[in-house]
């Protein structure tokens, strides 16, 4: 029964794909309209712009929706924050259930970087080149304009609460394997729940061996779902005080520091689905994300896909960090799964609520 269903799905998908693969490339020109001119064209479209926004803390929805709506008050926006790994199957299922007429989202901004070339090869992406196209590192964009690296996220820096941590702050990960860190100080996102954290841990193990991981797992770590969650825990009065596998942007009062060990980064990537009924509005949204106004705020971490805002130089961090390492990692799911279950065997399956349902 299952096999039959799978086979039917496969045949359906393949035959559909064969029809959908574009025979010629659309050569789109770089956007020449100003953002306000795009806004005027977007106002002529009807409907609500649906955005699938990868994220694991609900406050991230408010930040982008408030900013966009303040700037473009007459564009109705339905932006759903959810784990990228769940947005992607939802989009595919919507596509299938709509008889391949609607992806269920007009725009997607996700960390599942392997999905973008697949959707492109299925003929599902609208080519678009934002006006700052030539300012974006070519490594982070699709040359036809099917998808765009919007900004650089990183994991692996050390985030801690000042005055709550025994100094000095470790300069390498094995320094965390010390009695001063073994009574509940450390918290971390599960590597087997988030592929970016997984890639970070794979780099750590490649550098320090499985020995490190076994020792680290005995350090009384508070493992938690969601990449923002460890930061939020640290920001609380009691509990863990330090992490190297979290983001710090949503918590206040935390210190973030670099070190001598490995870390990771990736271009959070955005695309417009060809099935959209609001192409100009979708272009407006993507253009806004790459516009100076938004880029100035989002790139406070020091790295950016736009050269203008890449203060620290994302391509100058080798060998500590390979800017294309995560893209390559994600492109081979066999490798991803291999690592995932290595860590799951050691840590057990991820426990806890969907991080977007947490109270912070
Ligand atoms: C799906 O769309 C195709 C045309 O693209 C059409 O021939 C077919 O009847 C549709 N199927 C359903 C169930 O609507
Ligand atoms: C482990 O950490 C918890 C807090 O997360 C703490 O209550 C407990 O005492 C710690 N255990 C040891 C053995 O230090
Ligand atoms: C792990 O622990 C073992 C036993 O205490 C020790 O010999 C080894 O050096 C440790 N390795 C790392 C990478 O922490």
């Amino acid at each position: 029964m299952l096999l039959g269903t799978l086979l039917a799905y496969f045949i359906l998908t393949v035959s559909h794909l064969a029809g959908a693969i574009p025979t010629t490339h659309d050569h789109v020109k770089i956007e020449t309209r100003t953002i306000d001119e795009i806004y005027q064209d977007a106002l002529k479209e009807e409907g609500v712009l649906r955005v699938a926004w990868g994220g694991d803390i609900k406050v991230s929805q408010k930040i982008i929706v408030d900013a966009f709506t303040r700037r473009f008050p007459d564009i109705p926006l339905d932006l759903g924050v959810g784990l990228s790994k769940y947005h992607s199957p939802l989009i595919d299922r919507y596509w299938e259930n709509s008889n391949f007429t609607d992806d269920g989202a007009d725009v997607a901004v996700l960390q599942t970087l392997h999905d973008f070339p697949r959707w492109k090869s299925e003929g599902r992406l609208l080519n678009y080149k934002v006006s700052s196209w030539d300012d974006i590192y070519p490594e982070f964009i699709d040359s036809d304009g099917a998808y765009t690296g919007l900004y650089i996220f990183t994991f692996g820096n050390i985030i801690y609460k000042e005055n709550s941590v025994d100094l000095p702050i470790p300069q390498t990960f094995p320094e965390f394997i010390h009695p001063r860190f073994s009574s509940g100080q450390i918290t971390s996102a599960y590597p087997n729940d988030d592929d970016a954290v997984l890639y970070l841990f794979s780099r750590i193990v490649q550098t320090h061996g499985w020995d490190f991981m076994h020792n680290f797992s005995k350090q009384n770590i508070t493992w938690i779902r969601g990449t923002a969650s460890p930061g939020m825990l640290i920001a609380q009065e009691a509990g863990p005080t330090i992490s190297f596998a979290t983001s710090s942007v949503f918590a206040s009062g935390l210190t973030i520091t670099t070190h001598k060990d490995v870390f990771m980064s990736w271009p959070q990537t955005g695309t417009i689905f060809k099935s959209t009924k609001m192409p100009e509005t979708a272009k407006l949204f993507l253009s806004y994300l790459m516009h100076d106004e938004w880029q100035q705020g989002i790139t406070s971490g020091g790295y950016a896909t736009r050269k203008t805002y890449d203060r620290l130089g994302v391509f100058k961090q080798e060998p500590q960090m390979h800017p294309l390492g995560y893209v390559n990692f994600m492109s081979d799911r066999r490798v991803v799964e291999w690592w995932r279950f290595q860590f799951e065997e050691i840590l057990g399956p991820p426990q806890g609520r969907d991080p977007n349902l947490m109270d912070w």
Side-chain angles (χ1 to χ4, degrees), residues 55-75:
D56 55 17
I57 182 163
K58 63 187 172 194
V59 69
S60 61
Q61 184 205 34
K62 191 172 157 43
I63 294 169
I64 174 65
V65 172
D66 283 0
F68 186 81
T69 313
R70 224 178 7 252
R71 185 67 172 77
F72 308 107
D74 297 317
I75 304 286

Side-chain angles (χ1 to χ4, degrees), residues 182-184 220 222:
S182 62
S183 52
N220 197 11
T222 303

Side-chain angles (χ1 to χ4, degrees), residues 179 181-186 218-222 239-240:
F181 289 120
S182 62
S183 52
Q185 287 90 341
I186 306 172
K218 295 188 188 114
Q219 283 293 81
N220 197 11
I221 315 286
T222 303

Side-chain angles (χ1 to χ4, degrees), residues 104-160:
D106 303 293
V107 173
V109 175
L110 303 174
Q111 73 158 216
T112 50
L113 300 188
H114 57 297
D115 283 323
F116 297 96
R118 174 173 63 85
W119 285 331
K120 181 188 180 188
S121 75
E122 293 172 6
R124 288 162 65 182
L125 302 183
L126 182 85
N127 292 344
Y128 182 60
K129 299 180 178 175
V130 295
S131 62
S132 55
W133 194 251
D134 286 339
D135 189 36
I136 310 173
Y137 291 109
E139 290 87 343
F140 297 140
I141 49 184
D142 173 63
S143 57
D144 293 321
Y147 44 91
T148 309
L150 304 173
Y151 25 87
I152 300 292
F153 286 159
T154 73
F155 288 132
N157 287 323
I158 294 171
I159 284 158
Y160 64 100

Side-chain angles (χ1 to χ4, degrees), residues 299-313:
T299 54
S300 54
Y303 302 113
T305 62
R306 277 188 61 183
K307 296 167 195 166
T308 300
Y309 297 105
D310 187 34
R311 194 164 44 81
L312 298 177

